[in-house]
Amino acid sequence: MNLPPLTDKESAKSMFRILNTAAAAKGIKLRPAPEEPTTCCGKGCNGCVWEGYYEAVVYWRDEALLMLED
């Protein structure tokens, strides 16, 4: 499956759409995608909420791909 690289929130949204469409075509219901953080202060903190978001996005993607393999 050709997925966009996860470099920003728009690429994450695109990946969510692609995988949800593929899952729907197979009759598979994926769990909800991670929600974007709302508490970022914009100072580039070590351990920024966006780092955790992208880790959750990768986990969601990997889980979705496993479900779509079957």
Side-chain angles (χ1 to χ4, degrees):
M1 182 171 292
N2 190 11
L3 297 173
L6 295 174
T7 56
D8 58 24
K9 65 181 181 178
E10 291 307 315
S11 62
K13 288 179 183 179
S14 176
M15 186 259 319
F16 294 146
R17 280 191 299 273
I18 291 167
L19 291 176
N20 277 312
T21 299
K26 289 187 167 193
I28 297 171
K29 181 160 175 58
L30 300 175
R31 67 183 174 91
E35 292 189 25
E36 292 179 18
T38 58
T39 58
C40 180
C41 67
K43 295 180 182 175
C45 303
N46 186 21
C48 177
V49 294
W50 285 100
E51 291 174 19
Y53 170 73
Y54 287 117
E55 288 175 11
V57 167
V58 168
Y59 185 86
W60 185 95
R61 178 199 63 198
D62 293 347
E63 182 181 64
L65 288 171
L66 283 172
M67 291 177 73
L68 290 168
E69 276 183 5
D70 297 336

